[in-house]
Amino acid sequence: MTTSVRITYSSADQDEASWIPGLQAALPGAEVSLWQPGVPQADYAVVWKPPQQLLDEQRGLKAIFNTGAGVDAMMKLRLPSGVPVIRLDDAGMSVQMAEYVCHAVIRHFREFDGYEADMASGKWSFRKPRSRIDYPVGVLGLGVLGERVAKAVAQFDFPVNGWSRSPKTVEGVQCFHGAAQLDAFLAASRIVVCLLPLTPETDSILNARTLAQLRPGGYVINVARGAHVVDADLLAAIDSGHLAGATLDVFRVEPLPKGHAFWSHPHITITPHTSARTLRSESIAQIARKIAALQGGQTVAGTVDAARGY
Ligand code: NDP
Ligand code: OXD
């Protein structure tokens, strides 16, 4: 595909040395360069957590591509009006998320963490098998990632619930929607997986009130954004015995500050925001396809609705 457009690239933590030649190769004819103050006007920006100056200076953009699925960081910036923000949709993330969440659910349900500790201390002992009917899994967010995760967990015969903003039908998943059905969704779930975008409506959604609605012995898996969880409320719910524990991939402050209680809590497993990584070649191919489609006057999937914030 030959596309004669100018692309400016900026990323807070990805590697321009591979993204820029990758975009160039996927879009022969395009001029792709690293953004710096004062560079010529571009048609498209490909960014992750861009500086405000880029958005203020680049006045001719036709679209801004976010090289991640979540746009919460972008939504905090002053965006040029009328310029669409386009996020990654899937691009190899949903399978990674399904692996991560199934692993966390099964590790907890089958008590593999306990067996690891037993084996490490030379103890040979069996635990009583649990019944999966007692471990309904609730997925908050039934979008590109949440739907794939819900279906993957259902493959292991766990009862699965899902919650979204608008009504949905997903095979093998009991679907709830809207604020009015949140409590019923929580009451029907023991393990809750957060795959919501971070917006003013979903900020701190896992708090003392909502965690208390989960079935006793509940478990939290947060793979969306740290600010979905009120840290102190999660710790209190685990320490009181209402919740059995949590697996957390995302945190309010990243890297997780040294000394934070999550580092050493015996019932909390943490990973460094790695549940679904942006895969460079899949993402570049998707962005290149979308630029070609936009150039041809078509609409593309993953266009963010600024009013909803995702
Ligand atoms: P989508 O936009 O495809 O899906 C979002 C889902 O959340 C939709 O089902 C949507 O409902 C639902 N939702 C949004 N707001 C509300 C609300 N107020 N009430 C109820 N439901 C709501 O996003 P993705 O699945 O692609 O990604 C989800 C999030 O995962 C990202 O925003 C990002 O923060 C996080 N993420 C984390 C990664 C990691 O490595 N830890 C990697 C990639 C993403 P509806 O369907 O009705 O619109
Ligand atoms: C994303 C992420 O939003 O990596 O894509 O968290």
Side-chain angles (χ1 to χ4, degrees), residues 48 68-70 93 225 273 276 278:
W48 179 247
M93 285 191 193
R225 288 292 183 262
H273 198 141
T278 291

Side-chain angles (χ1 to χ4, degrees), residues 10-307:
S10 169
S11 170
D13 51 23
Q14 285 156 348
D15 169 21
E16 71 247 22
S18 55
W19 275 79
I20 291 176
L23 283 163
Q24 190 72 74
L27 288 161
E31 224 179 274
V32 190
S33 56
L34 184 64
W35 179 82
Q36 282 163 17
V39 294
Q41 297 295 314
D43 301 295
Y44 297 99
V46 176
V47 297
W48 179 247
K49 299 184 182 166
Q52 181 64 54
Q53 196 180 351
L54 182 157
L55 301 170
D56 291 343
E57 281 185 11
Q58 290 289 319
R59 306 310 301 174
L61 295 176
K62 296 180 192 169
I64 302 167
F65 287 91
N66 183 61
T67 61
V71 290
D72 44 294
M74 184 90 92
M75 292 294 122
K76 288 192 189 125
L77 297 170
R78 207 167 41 253
L79 295 166
S81 88
V83 180
V85 172
I86 299 163
R87 67 186 192 90
L88 289 181
D89 63 298
D90 199 336
M93 285 191 193
S94 71
V95 66
Q96 298 178 67
M97 209 47 113
E99 286 163 355
Y100 184 101
V101 173
C102 287
H103 175 268
V105 167
I106 292 167
R107 177 171 179 264
H108 172 60
F109 171 70
R110 294 288 307 274
E111 301 185 80
F112 289 142
D113 46 352
Y115 282 118
E116 267 165 36
D118 288 352
M119 294 300 118
S121 64
K123 185 169 157 200
W124 183 275
S125 71
F126 294 105
R127 286 151 204 265
K128 198 163 164 273
R130 290 169 163 178
S131 167
R132 56 198 75 223
I133 203 77
D134 296 332
Y135 284 80
V137 178
V139 182
L140 288 162
L142 285 175
V144 173
L145 304 181
E147 180 171 341
R148 172 99 185 230
V149 163
K151 286 176 170 166
V153 172
Q155 285 290 313
F156 291 99
D157 294 347
F158 289 98
V160 180
N161 305 308
W163 184 68
S164 52
R165 177 201 286 267
S166 53
K168 291 237 147 46
T169 308
V170 180
E171 203 188 330
V173 178
Q174 191 188 353
C175 292
F176 297 79
H177 70 275
Q181 293 185 7
L182 178 60
D183 285 1
F185 161 86
L186 293 166
S189 306
R190 184 159 183 183
I191 299 178
V192 71
V193 179
C194 183
L195 266 168
L196 291 165
L198 183 63
T199 67
E201 287 176 11
T202 66
D203 196 314
S204 302
I205 193 165
L206 292 171
N207 55 45
R209 194 198 73 79
T210 52
L211 294 173
Q213 316 283 318
L214 286 176
R215 293 197 183 175
Y219 195 84
V220 170
I221 299 172
N222 187 17
V223 279
R225 288 292 183 262
H228 285 123
V229 172
V230 178
D231 295 1
D233 292 359
L234 176 65
L235 288 163
I238 296 173
D239 291 341
S240 73
H242 174 60
L243 296 185
T247 292
L248 307 173
D249 183 50
V250 286
F251 306 93
R252 285 183 177 261
V253 178
E254 293 180 3
L256 182 64
K258 292 263 175 284
H260 191 290
F262 290 164
W263 278 105
S264 54
H265 197 288
H267 300 304
I268 295 180
T269 299
I270 59 170
T271 51
H273 198 141
T274 197
S275 50
R277 306 290 293 269
T278 291
L279 301 179
R280 194 181 61 240
S281 48
E282 281 89 335
S283 305
I284 287 174
Q286 183 175 109
I287 292 168
R289 271 197 309 275
K290 288 183 178 180
I291 289 178
L294 291 175
Q295 287 295 105
Q298 297 164 32
T299 53
V300 297
T303 303
V304 172
D305 177 335

